[in-house]
Amino acid sequence: MKILVCITHVPDTTSKISFIEQNTKFDQNGVQFIIGPYDDYALARAVELKEQLGGTITALNVGTSETEPTIRKALAIGADDAIRIDAEPTDAFFVANQIAHIARTNAYDLILMGRESIDFNGGQVHGMVGALLGMPSISPVMTLDIDGNIAKISREIEGGKELLEVALPFVAGCQEPIAEWKIPNMRGIMSARSKPLVIVAPFSDLVRTTVNHFELPPAKSGIKMIDAEHIGELVDLLRNEAKVL
Amino acid sequence: MKVLVFLELDEENIRKSSLEAVSYAANFASQVTALVFGSTSLEGLNSIGIAGANKVLQVTNDRFKQPNIMAFSSAIAEVVALENAETLVLAKSSTGDSVAARVSIKLGASLVSNVTEVPDVSEGFKVKRSIYTGKAFAITELSASLKILSIRKNTVPIKTDGATPEIVIFTPQMDEADFVVKVLSSEKITGQILLPEADIVVSGGRGLKGPENWGMIEDLAKALSAATGCSKPVSDMDWRPHHEHVGQTGIKVSPSLYVAVGISGAIQHLAGVNSSKYILVINKDPEAPFFKAADYGIVGDAFDVVPKLTAAINAAKV
Ligand SMILES: Cc1cc2nc3c(=O)[nH]c(=O)nc-3n(C[C@H](O)[C@H](O)[C@H](O)COP(=O)(O)OP(=O)(O)OC[C@H]3O[C@@H](n4cnc5c(N)ncnc54)[C@H](O)[C@@H]3O)c2cc1C
Ligand SMILES: Nc1ncnc2c1ncn2[C@@H]1O[C@H](COP(=O)(O)O)[C@@H](O)[C@H]1O
């Protein structure tokens, strides 16, 4: 079983978001970067599937050299090798094109991604890669079990879930509770240093969107505290200010 | 500009977020055609016109009854070409995300998701989209001639002044390769307001102590015609179903009012509610971080405050 796991290198979930250079660039100052939480679920499930069925896991990231600590972490968690496509990922189509190119030459049985990246939250790359490769793409995947050539999947839908069956290969966008996040142990961290990480140049530079500039939401105007003994004041605010009653 | 809107159904009704997508399109298009898969009541079809569509294409073929990402994508691509649409609009959703992505590849379109405002076409074609889980926006330019916009829920009011639409039955071409994913079963709550669609959400956290105490959350939700949500530990402990979990790793909501009861306001939870218009926090700890992100706050014991609030709202309604 050959599994490809696509990981993002994104600001930690607690990061303060701000921009520099006339709001055209993300301010990395003091920001800690992590594997995208949904990609972490995908990786964790890949490790479990490998334990169960054997095979190899390749971690793939489209990013500049700054992402290497994040890729090493994926190797420490259990990927066997990694590929970094050396480019700034600014557009979902650009990223999907790179991933599809790697997948065309390597014939993976399974391509796992996160349901969405937590920086741009597009939820697009898995669908695009599926379409580029002519494979099914399924997201958001909550459970994934494989028996021979067939996968059974539960997918979240608004207000519920559906149970699907599909033959390999396909692309899945993962979310909890597909697996528990895995924390790298000492042995994993040691071995990650010597695992192969191949750097390749982008195969195409086509993009279909460009960010003109960033904006921050307007600041909240301040909280109104209401005494629990005067609930009527809150009802008035809900009616006259928030206009929800 | 000619715009095609892809609609989703809940039972036989057009989903609220899909009607929002229609009204979004009507705000800048000269001609809005809506495409719906499955059977809807006549009232449902008319609601699409009232929301702003001129024409509705309805696919009634049985094989399109179940949501099918690949088959929907192929059919949409076919309709875009037939109708000469310049833009495709849809509501961001679990199915919409994948459909939009696949259509963008089929047609070489620029795709932007989480769009929150009508496009600016004064120079090029730019949209505002929500990024960093509601913590920022990116003004994004689309360069391909065909554009696909996936709209964040609850960003546009549904229009009420449209007319009865022209309704045309459409039978897409079919490719067996689009039917390789088999739907074995599906389960879905019915008759309730869906959390991602809801205009008001009432959520409970670990402060509620146990699943047996959710009655008061449900009562408050009922009084407000709201959907119910929860924090991650609550769904991790199986007090509530997973599809109610709000936050960074769960559902992101953008309601008019979000009510948080006994939730501390960890940044990962806030990530799911940043886009709410108003936030009401009820917590016994005045230092709870959620108060910093809130518009209204009550410091008090939920077991005392929530029933009182429910009663006051019910009394105010009559
Ligand atoms: C990568 C990552 C992703 C995460 N994603 C999410 C996510 O998507 N969503 C999410 O919710 N969490 C998420 N978390 C977890 C998050 O960090 C918090 O642990 C969680 O939100 C806390 O849930 P809580 O507020 O219900 O519980 P607690 O933090 O235990 O807070 C309970 C609150 O209830 C109050 N309280 C207690 N008793 C009463 C009472 N009688 N009346 C009124 N108030 C009372 C307390 O003062 C306290 O503020 C994530 C964590 C990580 C690391
Ligand atoms: N730069 C990238 N490198 C590798 N994988 C990526 C990258 N961007 C997105 N992905 C994958 O695609 C998924 C969906 O991303 P998105 O469409 O950006 O929300 C992510 O969870 C990753 O698995």
Side-chain angles (χ1 to χ4, degrees):
Chain A
M1 178 93 153
K2 275 178 75 174
I3 307 176
L4 179 68
V5 182
C6 301
I7 59 164
T8 54
H9 163 86
V10 289
D12 168 43
T13 51
T14 59
S15 307
K16 187 176 178 306
I17 303 299
S18 57
F19 302 98
I20 48 172
E21 297 179 17
Q22 278 90 47
N23 284 326
T24 57
K25 209 166 167 237
F26 178 68
D27 185 1
Q28 297 200 0
N29 204 351
V31 170
Q32 205 188 331
F33 284 82
I34 55 168
I35 299 178
Y38 297 109
D39 313 340
D40 230 353
Y41 284 122
L43 181 60
R45 187 61 190 145
V47 170
E48 292 173 358
L49 287 171
K50 182 186 156 178
E51 277 165 13
Q52 187 193 331
L53 306 165
T56 58
I57 301 171
T58 299
L60 170 66
N61 169 258
V62 181
T64 58
S65 58
E66 287 168 17
T67 72
E68 289 203 5
T70 303
I71 301 176
R72 289 281 169 211
K73 189 173 169 216
L75 291 168
I77 289 171
D80 298 285
D81 53 29
I83 303 170
R84 179 170 69 79
I85 295 162
D86 190 23
E88 187 100 39
T90 57
D91 172 58
F93 171 70
F94 173 84
V95 170
N97 226 356
Q98 312 306 325
I99 297 173
H101 180 68
I102 298 290
R104 271 188 209 108
T105 40
N106 287 285
Y108 298 102
D109 299 299
L110 191 59
I111 302 178
L112 298 184
M113 304 194 190
R115 73 172 290 179
E116 67 180 35
S117 56
I118 64 158
D119 47 4
F120 284 168
N121 314 107
Q124 299 169 2
V125 171
H126 34 75
M128 288 183 176
V129 170
L132 284 165
L133 297 173
M135 284 178 195
S137 54
I138 298 166
S139 177
V141 171
M142 300 169 72
T143 63
L144 165 62
D145 292 291
I146 293 178
D147 187 0
N149 186 38
I150 300 291
K152 280 222 167 68
I153 289 172
S154 70
R155 181 176 95 93
E156 182 164 291
I157 51 177
E158 274 69 9
K161 58 183 171 190
E162 61 184 15
L163 195 62
L164 306 173
E165 190 178 271
V166 64
L168 305 179
F170 59 90
V171 185
C174 305
Q175 70 168 32
E176 63 169 16
I178 193 164
E180 297 267 346
W181 285 321
K182 303 228 174 327
I183 296 156
N185 57 25
M186 213 41 195
R187 235 185 74 209
I189 294 168
M190 297 304 285
S191 67
R193 292 191 193 149
S194 56
K195 286 179 177 172
L197 193 174
V198 185
I199 299 157
V200 295
F203 124 93
S204 146
D205 57 6
L206 281 182
V207 297
R208 288 184 183 154
T209 63
T210 36
V211 172
N212 188 283
H213 66 275
F214 299 102
E215 284 175 9
L216 290 173
K220 286 258 172 200
S221 58
I223 184 166
K224 295 188 171 122
M225 295 304 292
I226 294 113
D227 190 321
E229 298 310 315
H230 300 111
I231 261 274
E233 290 171 17
L234 176 61
V235 174
D236 286 343
L237 286 166
L238 294 179
R239 167 170 288 157
N240 301 317
E241 190 178 69
K243 299 196 166 44
V244 290
L245 289 184
Chain B
M1 190 181 311
K2 277 189 155 183
V3 178
L4 179 70
V5 183
F6 161 63
L7 305 177
E8 289 184 70
L9 294 181
D10 262 325
E11 309 297 313
E12 298 221 322
N13 300 314
I14 312 295
R15 214 179 258 180
K16 173 174 169 259
S17 53
S18 290
L19 292 176
E20 289 166 1
V22 170
S23 294
Y24 173 90
N27 281 333
F28 67 95
S30 54
Q31 162 85 27
V32 178
T33 301
L35 175 62
V36 59
F37 298 88
S39 52
T40 44
S41 59
L42 190 61
E43 198 189 337
L45 290 171
N46 283 337
S47 71
I48 308 169
I50 291 165
N54 311 92
K55 182 160 126 187
V56 178
L57 295 179
Q58 190 181 21
V59 177
T60 51
N61 186 313
D62 269 353
R63 294 198 71 191
F64 291 86
K65 246 188 172 157
Q66 291 268 16
N68 177 330
I69 286 158
M70 294 173 88
F72 282 9
S73 304
S74 297
I76 292 168
E78 192 187 339
V79 174
V80 166
L82 280 174
E83 293 280 313
N84 289 317
E86 293 151 273
T87 304
L88 170 68
V89 169
L90 43 77
K92 188 169 166 60
S93 73
S94 61
T95 298
D97 281 349
S98 301
V99 164
R102 295 192 78 102
V103 175
S104 79
I105 295 301
K106 279 176 185 287
L107 299 175
S110 290
L111 162 59
V112 175
S113 64
N114 263 319
V115 172
T116 61
E117 280 176 20
V118 163
D120 169 5
V121 292
S122 57
E123 193 192 324
F125 190 111
K126 294 192 201 81
V127 290
K128 185 169 177 172
R129 67 171 154 150
S130 165
I131 57 170
Y132 293 105
T133 328
K135 286 192 259 185
F137 298 96
I139 311 303
T140 305
E141 194 149 357
L142 294 83
S143 51
S145 58
L146 181 70
K147 278 96 179 161
I148 304 180
L149 307 177
S150 161
I151 312 302
R152 191 178 71 189
K153 288 168 180 164
N154 272 324
T155 49
V156 205
I158 298 171
K159 287 183 187 293
T160 51
D161 58 355
T164 308
E166 177 193 352
I167 295 164
V168 180
I169 302 289
F170 175 70
T171 309
Q173 288 172 2
M174 254 184 287
D175 180 352
E176 284 311 311
D178 286 340
F179 293 85
V180 293
V181 180
K182 301 260 169 319
V183 181
L184 302 179
S185 64
S186 68
E187 46 185 272
K188 205 166 157 182
I189 50 161
T190 51
Q192 276 182 46
I193 300 160
L194 294 180
L195 174 61
E197 306 262 309
D199 195 43
I200 302 179
V201 175
V202 179
S203 274
R206 197 146 56 182
L208 287 167
K209 313 282 187 289
E212 67 280 5
N213 297 324
W214 242 261
M216 65 180 185
I217 295 292
E218 278 162 356
D219 288 345
L220 177 57
K222 201 165 161 222
L224 286 165
S225 304
T228 52
C230 66
S231 65
K232 178 164 152 49
V234 164
S235 68
D236 285 348
M237 292 182 292
D238 277 333
W239 293 2
R240 301 296 292 177
H242 176 263
H243 64 249
E244 286 199 359
H245 151 204
V246 170
Q248 176 88 64
T249 47
I251 306 280
K252 280 121 200 134
V253 295
S254 41
S256 299
L257 176 69
Y258 186 80
V259 184
V261 184
I263 303 178
S264 57
I267 195 139
Q268 295 92 356
H269 187 83
L270 296 183
V273 306
N274 279 327
S275 311
S276 308
K277 286 198 191 85
Y278 289 89
I279 294 176
L280 162 63
V281 168
I282 300 169
N283 197 301
K284 70 172 186 193
D285 174 9
E287 301 299 322
F290 220 142
F291 285 119
K292 292 202 179 65
D295 302 279
Y296 309 127
I298 297 184
V299 176
D301 187 339
F303 294 87
D304 164 46
V305 175
V306 173
K308 266 206 251 174
L309 177 58
T310 307
I313 289 168
N314 283 331
K317 282 198 298 200
V318 289

